[in-house]
Coordinates of all heavy atoms in Angstrom, one line a residue:
M1 N 12.2 -17.0 0.9 CA 11.8 -15.7 0.5 C 13.1 -14.9 0.6 O 13.8 -15.0 1.6 CB 10.8 -15.1 1.4 CG 10.1 -13.9 0.8 SD 9.0 -13.1 1.9 CE 7.5 -14.0 2.0
S2 N 13.5 -14.1 -0.4 CA 14.7 -13.2 -0.2 C 14.5 -12.0 0.4 O 13.4 -11.5 0.4 CB 15.1 -12.9 -1.7 OG 14.2 -12.1 -2.4
K3 N 15.5 -11.5 1.1 CA 15.4 -10.3 1.9 C 15.6 -9.1 0.9 O 16.4 -9.1 0.0 CB 16.4 -10.2 2.9 CG 16.3 -11.1 4.1 CD 17.3 -10.9 5.2 CE 17.1 -11.8 6.3 NZ 18.0 -11.5 7.3
R4 N 14.7 -8.1 1.0 CA 14.9 -6.9 0.2 C 15.7 -5.9 1.0 O 15.6 -5.7 2.2 CB 13.5 -6.3 0.0 CG 12.6 -7.1 -0.9 CD 11.3 -6.6 -1.0 NE 11.3 -5.7 -2.2 CZ 10.2 -5.2 -2.7 NH1 8.9 -5.4 -2.1 NH2 10.1 -4.4 -3.7
T5 N 16.6 -5.3 0.2 CA 17.5 -4.3 0.9 C 16.7 -3.1 0.9 O 15.9 -2.7 0.1 CB 18.8 -4.1 0.0 OG1 18.4 -3.6 -1.3 CG2 19.6 -5.3 0.0
V6 N 17.0 -2.3 2.0 CA 16.3 -1.0 2.2 C 17.3 0.2 2.0 O 18.4 0.2 2.6 CB 15.7 -0.9 3.6 CG1 15.1 0.5 3.8 CG2 14.8 -2.0 3.9
Q7 N 17.0 1.0 1.0 CA 17.9 2.2 0.7 C 17.5 3.2 1.8 O 16.3 3.5 1.9 CB 17.6 2.8 -0.7 CG 17.9 1.7 -1.8 CD 19.4 1.5 -1.8 OE1 20.2 2.3 -1.6 NE2 19.7 0.2 -2.1
Q8 N 18.5 3.8 2.5 CA 18.1 4.7 3.6 C 18.7 6.1 3.3 O 19.8 6.2 2.8 CB 18.7 4.2 5.0 CG 18.1 3.0 5.4 CD 18.4 2.6 6.8 OE1 18.9 3.3 7.6 NE2 18.2 1.3 7.2
F9 N 17.9 7.1 3.4 CA 18.3 8.5 3.2 C 17.9 9.3 4.4 O 17.0 9.0 5.2 CB 17.7 9.1 1.9 CG 18.0 8.2 0.7 CD1 17.2 7.3 0.2 CD2 19.2 8.4 0.0 CE1 17.6 6.5 -0.9 CE2 19.6 7.7 -1.0 CZ 18.7 6.8 -1.6
T10 N 18.4 10.5 4.5 CA 18.2 11.5 5.5 C 17.8 12.9 4.9 O 18.6 13.3 3.9 CB 19.2 11.7 6.5 OG1 19.6 10.4 7.1 CG2 18.8 12.6 7.6
G11 N 16.7 13.4 5.4 CA 16.4 14.8 4.9 C 15.4 14.8 3.7 O 15.1 13.8 3.2
H12 N 14.9 16.0 3.4 CA 13.9 16.1 2.4 C 14.5 16.5 1.0 O 13.8 16.5 0.0 CB 12.9 17.3 2.7 CG 13.5 18.6 2.8 ND1 14.2 19.1 3.8 CD2 13.5 19.5 1.9 CE1 14.7 20.3 3.5 NE2 14.2 20.7 2.3
A13 N 15.8 16.6 0.8 CA 16.4 17.0 -0.5 C 16.2 15.8 -1.4 O 16.4 14.6 -1.0 CB 17.9 17.2 -0.3
F14 N 15.7 16.0 -2.6 CA 15.5 15.0 -3.6 C 14.4 14.0 -3.2 O 14.4 12.8 -3.7 CB 16.8 14.3 -4.1 CG 17.8 15.3 -4.5 CD1 19.0 15.4 -3.8 CD2 17.7 15.9 -5.8 CE1 19.9 16.4 -4.2 CE2 18.7 16.8 -6.1 CZ 19.8 17.0 -5.4
L15 N 13.5 14.4 -2.3 CA 12.5 13.4 -1.8 C 11.7 12.8 -2.9 O 11.5 11.6 -3.0 CB 11.6 14.1 -0.8 CG 10.4 13.3 -0.3 CD1 11.0 12.2 0.7 CD2 9.5 14.1 0.6
K16 N 11.0 13.7 -3.8 CA 10.2 13.2 -4.9 C 11.0 12.4 -5.8 O 10.5 11.2 -6.2 CB 9.6 14.4 -5.6 CG 8.8 15.3 -4.7 CD 8.3 16.5 -5.5 CE 9.3 17.5 -5.7 NZ 9.4 18.7 -4.9
Q17 N 12.2 12.7 -6.2 CA 12.9 11.9 -7.1 C 13.3 10.5 -6.4 O 13.3 9.5 -7.1 CB 14.3 12.6 -7.4 CG 14.1 13.8 -8.3 CD 13.9 15.1 -7.5 OE1 13.5 15.1 -6.3 NE2 14.0 16.2 -8.2
R18 N 13.6 10.5 -5.1 CA 13.9 9.1 -4.5 C 12.7 8.3 -4.4 O 12.8 7.1 -4.6 CB 14.4 9.4 -3.1 CG 15.8 10.1 -3.1 CD 16.3 10.5 -1.7 NE 17.7 11.0 -1.7 CZ 18.1 11.7 -0.8 NH1 17.5 12.0 0.3 NH2 19.5 12.0 -0.9
L19 N 11.6 8.9 -4.2 CA 10.3 8.1 -4.2 C 10.1 7.5 -5.6 O 9.7 6.2 -5.7 CB 9.2 8.9 -3.7 CG 9.2 9.4 -2.3 CD1 8.0 10.4 -2.0 CD2 9.1 8.2 -1.3
V20 N 10.2 8.2 -6.6 CA 9.9 7.8 -7.9 C 11.0 6.7 -8.3 O 10.6 5.6 -8.9 CB 9.8 8.9 -8.9 CG1 9.7 8.4 -10.4 CG2 8.6 9.8 -8.7
M21 N 12.2 7.0 -8.1 CA 13.2 6.0 -8.4 C 13.1 4.7 -7.6 O 13.3 3.6 -8.2 CB 14.6 6.6 -8.2 CG 15.0 7.7 -9.2 SD 14.8 7.2 -10.9 CE 16.2 6.1 -10.9
A22 N 12.6 4.8 -6.4 CA 12.4 3.6 -5.6 C 11.3 2.7 -6.3 O 11.3 1.5 -6.4 CB 12.0 3.9 -4.2
L23 N 10.2 3.4 -6.7 CA 9.1 2.7 -7.4 C 9.6 2.0 -8.7 O 9.3 0.9 -8.9 CB 8.0 3.7 -7.6 CG 6.7 3.2 -8.2 CD1 6.0 2.2 -7.2 CD2 5.8 4.2 -8.7
L24 N 10.4 2.8 -9.5 CA 10.7 2.3 -10.8 C 11.8 1.1 -10.7 O 11.8 0.2 -11.4 CB 11.3 3.4 -11.7 CG 10.4 4.5 -12.1 CD1 11.2 5.6 -12.8 CD2 9.3 3.9 -13.0
S25 N 12.6 1.1 -9.6 CA 13.6 0.2 -9.4 C 13.2 -0.9 -8.5 O 14.0 -1.9 -8.2 CB 14.9 0.8 -8.8 OG 14.6 1.3 -7.6
Q26 N 11.9 -0.8 -7.9 CA 11.4 -1.9 -7.0 C 12.2 -2.1 -5.8 O 12.4 -3.1 -5.2 CB 11.2 -3.1 -7.7 CG 10.1 -3.2 -8.8 CD 8.8 -3.0 -8.3 OE1 8.4 -3.9 -7.5 NE2 8.0 -1.9 -8.5
Q27 N 12.8 -0.9 -5.3 CA 13.6 -0.9 -4.1 C 12.9 -0.3 -2.9 O 12.3 0.8 -3.1 CB 14.9 -0.2 -4.3 CG 15.9 -0.9 -5.3 CD 16.6 -2.1 -4.6 OE1 16.9 -2.0 -3.4 NE2 16.6 -3.1 -5.3
T28 N 12.9 -0.9 -1.7 CA 12.3 -0.3 -0.6 C 13.1 0.9 -0.2 O 14.4 0.8 -0.1 CB 12.1 -1.3 0.5 OG1 11.3 -2.4 0.1 CG2 11.6 -0.7 1.8
V29 N 12.6 2.0 0.2 CA 13.3 3.2 0.6 C 12.7 3.7 2.0 O 11.6 3.7 2.2 CB 13.2 4.3 -0.4 CG1 11.9 4.8 -0.6 CG2 14.3 5.4 -0.2
R30 N 13.7 4.1 2.8 CA 13.4 4.7 4.1 C 14.0 6.0 4.1 O 15.2 6.2 3.9 CB 13.8 3.9 5.3 CG 13.5 4.4 6.6 CD 14.1 3.7 7.7 NE 13.7 4.3 8.9 CZ 12.8 4.0 9.8 NH1 12.0 2.9 9.5 NH2 12.5 4.7 10.9
I31 N 13.2 7.1 4.4 CA 13.8 8.5 4.4 C 13.4 9.0 5.8 O 12.2 9.1 6.2 CB 13.2 9.4 3.3 CG1 13.4 8.7 2.0 CG2 13.8 10.8 3.4 CD1 12.7 9.4 0.8
D32 N 14.4 9.4 6.6 CA 14.3 9.9 7.9 C 14.7 11.3 8.0 O 15.4 11.8 7.1 CB 15.2 9.1 8.9 CG 14.7 7.7 9.1 OD1 13.6 7.4 9.3 OD2 15.6 6.8 8.9
G33 N 14.3 12.0 9.1 CA 14.8 13.3 9.3 C 14.3 14.4 8.3 O 15.0 15.3 8.0
I34 N 13.1 14.2 7.9 CA 12.4 15.0 7.0 C 12.0 16.4 7.6 O 11.1 16.5 8.4 CB 11.2 14.4 6.2 CG1 11.6 13.1 5.5 CG2 10.5 15.4 5.2 CD1 10.4 12.3 5.1
R35 N 12.8 17.4 7.4 CA 12.6 18.8 7.9 C 12.5 18.6 9.4 O 11.8 19.3 10.1 CB 11.4 19.4 7.4 CG 11.5 19.7 5.9 CD 10.3 20.5 5.4 NE 10.3 20.6 4.0 CZ 9.8 19.8 3.2 NH1 9.2 18.6 3.6 NH2 9.8 19.9 1.9
A36 N 13.3 17.7 10.1 CA 13.3 17.5 11.5 C 13.6 18.8 12.3 O 13.1 18.9 13.4 CB 14.2 16.4 11.9
Q37 N 14.5 19.7 11.9 CA 14.8 20.8 12.6 C 14.0 22.0 12.1 O 14.3 23.1 12.6 CB 16.3 21.1 12.5 CG 17.2 20.0 12.8 CD 17.1 19.5 14.2 OE1 16.9 20.3 15.1 NE2 17.1 18.2 14.4
D38 N 13.1 21.9 11.2 CA 12.3 23.0 10.8 C 11.3 23.5 11.8 O 11.0 22.7 12.7 CB 11.6 22.5 9.5 CG 11.1 23.7 8.6 OD1 12.0 24.6 8.3 OD2 10.0 23.8 8.3
E39 N 10.9 24.6 11.6 CA 9.8 25.1 12.5 C 8.5 24.4 12.4 O 7.7 24.2 13.3 CB 9.5 26.6 12.2 CG 8.9 27.4 13.3 CD 8.9 28.9 12.9 OE1 9.9 29.5 13.0 OE2 7.7 29.4 12.6
N40 N 8.3 23.9 11.2 CA 7.1 23.0 10.8 C 7.6 21.8 10.2 O 7.7 21.6 9.1 CB 6.2 23.8 9.8 CG 4.9 23.1 9.5 OD1 4.5 22.1 10.3 ND2 4.3 23.3 8.4
P41 N 8.0 20.8 11.1 CA 8.7 19.6 10.6 C 7.9 18.6 9.9 O 6.6 18.7 10.0 CB 9.2 18.9 12.0 CG 8.2 19.4 13.0 CD 7.8 20.8 12.6
G42 N 8.4 17.8 9.1 CA 7.7 16.7 8.5 C 7.4 16.9 7.0 O 7.8 18.0 6.4
L43 N 6.6 16.0 6.4 CA 6.1 16.1 5.0 C 5.2 17.3 4.8 O 4.4 17.7 5.7 CB 5.5 14.8 4.6 CG 6.3 13.6 4.6 CD1 5.4 12.4 4.5 CD2 7.3 13.6 3.5
R44 N 5.2 17.9 3.7 CA 4.3 18.9 3.3 C 3.1 18.2 2.6 O 3.1 17.1 2.2 CB 5.0 19.9 2.3 CG 6.2 20.5 2.8 CD 5.8 21.5 3.9 NE 7.0 22.3 4.3 CZ 7.5 22.1 5.5 NH1 7.0 21.3 6.4 NH2 8.6 22.9 5.8
D45 N 2.0 19.0 2.6 CA 0.8 18.4 2.0 C 0.9 17.8 0.6 O 0.4 16.8 0.2 CB -0.4 19.5 2.0 CG -0.9 19.8 3.4 OD1 -0.7 19.0 4.2 OD2 -1.5 20.8 3.5
Y46 N 1.7 18.6 -0.3 CA 1.8 18.1 -1.6 C 2.7 16.8 -1.7 O 2.6 16.1 -2.6 CB 2.6 19.2 -2.5 CG 3.9 19.6 -2.1 CD1 5.0 19.1 -2.6 CD2 4.1 20.8 -1.2 CE1 6.3 19.5 -2.2 CE2 5.3 21.2 -0.8 CZ 6.4 20.6 -1.3 OH 7.7 20.9 -1.0
E47 N 3.7 16.7 -0.7 CA 4.4 15.4 -0.7 C 3.6 14.3 -0.3 O 3.7 13.1 -0.8 CB 5.7 15.6 0.2 CG 6.6 16.6 -0.3 CD 7.6 17.1 0.7 OE1 7.3 17.0 1.9 OE2 8.7 17.5 0.3
V48 N 2.7 14.5 0.6 CA 1.7 13.4 1.0 C 0.8 13.1 -0.1 O 0.6 11.9 -0.4 CB 0.8 13.8 2.3 CG1 -0.1 12.8 2.6 CG2 1.8 14.0 3.5
S49 N 0.4 14.1 -0.9 CA -0.4 13.8 -2.1 C 0.4 12.9 -3.1 O -0.2 12.1 -3.8 CB -0.8 15.1 -2.7 OG -1.7 15.8 -1.9
L50 N 1.6 13.2 -3.3 CA 2.4 12.4 -4.2 C 2.5 11.0 -3.7 O 2.4 10.0 -4.5 CB 3.8 13.0 -4.3 CG 4.8 12.1 -5.1 CD1 4.4 12.0 -6.6 CD2 6.2 12.6 -5.0
L51 N 2.6 10.8 -2.4 CA 2.7 9.4 -1.9 C 1.4 8.7 -2.1 O 1.3 7.5 -2.6 CB 2.9 9.4 -0.4 CG 4.4 9.7 -0.1 CD1 4.5 10.1 1.5 CD2 5.3 8.6 -0.4
R52 N 0.2 9.4 -2.0 CA -1.0 8.8 -2.3 C -1.2 8.5 -3.7 O -1.8 7.5 -4.1 CB -2.2 9.7 -1.7 CG -2.1 9.9 -0.2 CD -2.3 8.7 0.5 NE -2.0 8.9 1.9 CZ -1.3 8.0 2.6 NH1 -0.8 6.9 2.1 NH2 -1.0 8.2 3.9
L53 N -0.8 9.5 -4.6 CA -0.8 9.2 -6.1 C 0.0 7.9 -6.4 O -0.5 7.1 -7.2 CB -0.2 10.4 -6.7 CG -0.2 10.3 -8.3 CD1 -1.5 10.1 -8.9 CD2 0.6 11.5 -8.9
L54 N 1.2 7.8 -5.9 CA 2.0 6.6 -6.2 C 1.3 5.3 -5.7 O 1.4 4.3 -6.4 CB 3.3 6.7 -5.4 CG 4.3 7.8 -5.9 CD1 5.6 7.9 -5.2 CD2 4.6 7.7 -7.4
E55 N 0.6 5.4 -4.6 CA -0.1 4.3 -4.0 C -1.3 3.9 -5.0 O -1.6 2.8 -5.1 CB -0.7 4.7 -2.6 CG -1.2 3.5 -1.8 CD -1.6 3.9 -0.5 OE1 -2.3 5.0 -0.3 OE2 -1.2 3.1 0.5
Q56 N -2.0 4.9 -5.5 CA -3.1 4.7 -6.5 C -2.7 4.1 -7.8 O -3.4 3.3 -8.4 CB -3.9 5.9 -6.7 CG -4.7 6.5 -5.5 CD -5.5 7.7 -5.9 OE1 -5.5 8.1 -7.0 NE2 -6.1 8.3 -4.8
A57 N -1.5 4.5 -8.2 CA -1.0 4.1 -9.6 C -0.3 2.8 -9.5 O 0.2 2.2 -10.5 CB 0.0 5.1 -10.1
T58 N -0.3 2.1 -8.3 CA 0.4 0.8 -8.1 C -0.5 -0.2 -7.5 O -1.5 0.2 -6.9 CB 1.7 1.0 -7.5 OG1 1.4 1.5 -6.1 CG2 2.7 1.9 -8.1
N59 N -0.1 -1.4 -7.5 CA -0.8 -2.5 -6.8 C 0.1 -3.1 -5.8 O 1.1 -3.7 -6.2 CB -1.3 -3.5 -7.8 CG -2.2 -4.5 -7.1 OD1 -2.7 -4.4 -6.0 ND2 -2.3 -5.7 -7.8
G60 N -0.2 -3.0 -4.5 CA 0.7 -3.6 -3.5 C 1.7 -2.6 -2.8 O 2.4 -3.1 -2.0
T61 N 1.6 -1.4 -3.2 CA 2.6 -0.4 -2.5 C 2.2 -0.3 -1.2 O 1.0 -0.1 -0.9 CB 2.7 0.9 -3.3 OG1 3.2 0.6 -4.6 CG2 3.5 1.9 -2.6
R62 N 3.2 -0.3 -0.2 CA 2.9 0.0 1.2 C 3.7 1.3 1.5 O 4.9 1.3 1.4 CB 3.4 -1.2 2.0 CG 2.5 -2.4 1.9 CD 2.6 -3.4 3.0 NE 1.6 -4.4 2.9 CZ 1.7 -5.5 2.2 NH1 2.8 -5.6 1.4 NH2 0.8 -6.4 2.3
I63 N 3.0 2.3 2.2 CA 3.6 3.5 2.6 C 3.4 3.6 4.1 O 2.2 3.4 4.6 CB 3.1 4.6 1.9 CG1 3.3 4.5 0.4 CG2 3.6 5.9 2.4 CD1 2.6 5.5 -0.5
V64 N 4.4 3.8 4.9 CA 4.2 4.1 6.3 C 4.9 5.4 6.6 O 6.0 5.7 6.3 CB 5.0 3.0 7.2 CG1 4.9 3.3 8.6 CG2 4.5 1.6 6.8
I65 N 4.0 6.4 7.2 CA 4.5 7.7 7.5 C 4.5 7.8 9.0 O 3.5 7.4 9.7 CB 3.6 8.8 6.9 CG1 3.5 8.6 5.4 CG2 4.0 10.2 7.3 CD1 2.6 9.5 4.8
S66 N 5.5 8.3 9.6 CA 5.5 8.4 11.1 C 4.5 9.4 11.6 O 4.1 10.3 10.8 CB 7.0 8.8 11.5 OG 7.2 10.1 11.1
P67 N 4.1 9.3 12.8 CA 3.1 10.3 13.3 C 3.6 11.7 13.2 O 2.7 12.7 13.0 CB 3.0 9.9 14.8 CG 3.3 8.4 14.9 CD 4.4 8.3 13.8
T68 N 4.9 12.1 13.3 CA 5.3 13.3 13.1 C 5.5 13.8 11.7 O 5.7 15.0 11.4 CB 6.7 13.6 13.9 OG1 7.6 12.7 13.4 CG2 6.5 13.3 15.3
G69 N 5.5 12.8 10.8 CA 5.7 13.1 9.4 C 7.2 13.3 9.0 O 7.5 13.6 7.9
T70 N 8.1 13.0 9.9 CA 9.5 13.2 9.6 C 10.2 11.9 9.1 O 11.4 12.0 8.8 CB 10.3 13.7 10.9 OG1 10.1 12.7 11.9 CG2 9.8 15.0 11.4
S71 N 9.5 10.9 9.0 CA 10.0 9.6 8.5 C 8.9 8.9 7.6 O 7.8 8.9 7.9 CB 10.4 8.7 9.7 OG 10.9 7.5 9.2
V72 N 9.4 8.3 6.4 CA 8.5 7.6 5.5 C 9.3 6.4 5.0 O 10.4 6.4 4.8 CB 8.0 8.5 4.4 CG1 9.2 9.0 3.5 CG2 7.0 7.8 3.6
V73 N 8.5 5.3 4.9 CA 9.0 4.1 4.3 C 8.1 3.8 3.1 O 6.9 3.8 3.3 CB 9.0 2.9 5.4 CG1 9.5 1.7 4.7 CG2 9.9 3.2 6.6
L74 N 8.7 3.5 2.0 CA 8.0 3.2 0.8 C 8.4 1.8 0.4 O 9.6 1.6 0.0 CB 8.1 4.2 -0.3 CG 7.6 3.8 -1.6 CD1 6.1 4.1 -1.7 CD2 8.3 4.4 -2.8
R75 N 7.5 0.9 0.3 CA 7.8 -0.5 -0.3 C 7.0 -0.6 -1.5 O 5.8 -0.8 -1.4 CB 7.4 -1.6 0.8 CG 7.8 -3.0 0.4 CD 7.5 -3.9 1.4 NE 8.1 -5.3 0.9 CZ 8.0 -6.3 1.6 NH1 7.4 -6.3 2.7 NH2 8.5 -7.4 1.1
P76 N 7.6 -0.5 -2.6 CA 6.8 -0.4 -3.9 C 6.2 -1.7 -4.3 O 6.7 -2.8 -4.1 CB 7.9 0.1 -4.9 CG 9.2 -0.3 -4.3 CD 9.0 -0.4 -2.9
G77 N 5.1 -1.5 -4.9 CA 4.3 -2.6 -5.6 C 4.6 -2.6 -7.1 O 5.5 -1.8 -7.6
M78 N 3.7 -3.2 -7.8 CA 3.7 -3.2 -9.3 C 2.9 -2.0 -9.9 O 1.8 -1.6 -9.4 CB 3.1 -4.5 -9.9 CG 3.9 -5.7 -9.5 SD 5.5 -5.7 -10.0 CE 5.3 -5.8 -11.8
I79 N 3.5 -1.3 -10.9 CA 2.9 -0.2 -11.5 C 1.7 -0.7 -12.3 O 1.9 -1.6 -13.2 CB 3.8 0.7 -12.4 CG1 4.9 1.2 -11.5 CG2 3.2 1.8 -13.1 CD1 6.1 1.9 -12.3
T80 N 0.5 -0.2 -12.1 CA -0.6 -0.6 -12.9 C -1.2 0.5 -13.8 O -1.7 0.1 -14.8 CB -1.8 -1.1 -11.9 OG1 -2.1 0.0 -11.0 CG2 -1.4 -2.3 -11.2
G81 N -1.0 1.7 -13.4 CA -1.5 2.8 -14.2 C -3.0 2.8 -14.2 O -3.7 2.6 -13.3
G82 N -3.6 3.4 -15.4 CA -5.1 3.4 -15.5 C -5.5 4.8 -15.1 O -4.7 5.7 -14.9
R83 N -6.8 5.0 -15.0 CA -7.4 6.4 -14.6 C -7.3 6.5 -13.1 O -7.7 5.7 -12.4 CB -8.9 6.4 -15.1 CG -9.5 7.7 -14.8 CD -11.0 7.8 -15.2 NE -11.6 8.9 -14.7 CZ -11.7 10.0 -15.4 NH1 -11.3 10.1 -16.6 NH2 -12.3 11.1 -14.9
I84 N -6.8 7.7 -12.9 CA -6.5 8.1 -11.4 C -7.1 9.5 -11.2 O -6.8 10.4 -11.9 CB -5.1 8.1 -11.0 CG1 -4.5 6.7 -11.2 CG2 -4.8 8.6 -9.6 CD1 -3.0 6.6 -11.1
D85 N -7.9 9.6 -10.2 CA -8.5 10.9 -9.8 C -7.8 11.4 -8.5 O -7.7 10.7 -7.6 CB -10.0 10.8 -9.5 CG -10.8 10.5 -10.9 OD1 -10.4 11.1 -11.9 OD2 -11.8 9.7 -10.8
M86 N -7.4 12.6 -8.5 CA -6.6 13.1 -7.4 C -6.8 14.6 -7.3 O -7.0 15.4 -8.2 CB -5.1 12.9 -7.7 CG -4.1 13.7 -7.0 SD -2.4 13.3 -7.5 CE -1.7 14.5 -6.5
D87 N -6.8 15.1 -6.0 CA -6.9 16.5 -5.7 C -5.5 17.0 -5.3 O -4.9 16.4 -4.4 CB -7.9 16.8 -4.5 CG -9.3 16.4 -5.0 OD1 -9.7 16.6 -6.1 OD2 -10.1 15.9 -4.0
C88 N -5.1 18.1 -5.9 CA -3.8 18.7 -5.6 C -4.1 19.8 -4.4 O -5.0 20.6 -4.6 CB -3.2 19.2 -6.7 SG -2.7 18.1 -8.0
P89 N -3.2 19.7 -3.4 CA -3.4 20.7 -2.4 C -2.8 22.1 -2.9 O -2.1 22.2 -3.8 CB -2.5 20.2 -1.3 CG -1.6 19.3 -1.9 CD -2.2 18.8 -3.1

């Protein structure tokens, strides 16, 4: 089995783009320090919704969010598409 490289980033800048590009390129991505110094640290509700949407639109995607929400790991699966129902915050 080949090892997958993990792309590592820090901060919330370009978070959505990094997640989508990781999915399209089939690269595992780890993003740390998401608003770590902010008064309200971690992922926002709409960013968690995007992660859930990516999970629904794919088969085999694994997402790990730290308890504080300041770190996320996305291991992409195959894009399947189809009908998806989602609530936007």
Side-chain angles (χ1 to χ4, degrees):
M1 198 187 285
S2 65
K3 290 186 179 181
R4 295 177 88 169
T5 59
V6 178
Q7 300 293 322
Q8 296 189 15
F9 300 100
T10 303
H12 67 279
F14 304 109
L15 176 70
K16 296 177 289 260
Q17 292 87 344
R18 288 175 175 161
L19 294 172
V20 171
M21 291 304 293
L23 184 68
L24 292 174
S25 66
Q26 292 292 293
Q27 291 286 316
T28 300
V29 66
R30 178 185 179 99
I31 305 171
D32 296 308
I34 301 169
R35 296 184 189 87
Q37 304 302 320
D38 199 54
E39 203 172 286
N40 186 15
L43 294 167
R44 301 292 184 249
D45 290 341
Y46 63 90
E47 293 165 335
V48 174
S49 291
L50 173 63
L51 286 167
R52 298 297 167 225
L53 176 65
L54 294 177
E55 191 174 47
Q56 287 181 9
T58 60
N59 184 17
T61 294
R62 290 197 170 84
I63 300 170
V64 179
I65 302 172
S66 69
T68 59
T70 58
S71 179
V72 64
V73 177
L74 173 83
R75 186 173 185 182
M78 297 300 295
I79 299 172
T80 56
R83 182 180 170 95
I84 299 172
D85 293 319
M86 160 183 175
D87 292 324
C88 294

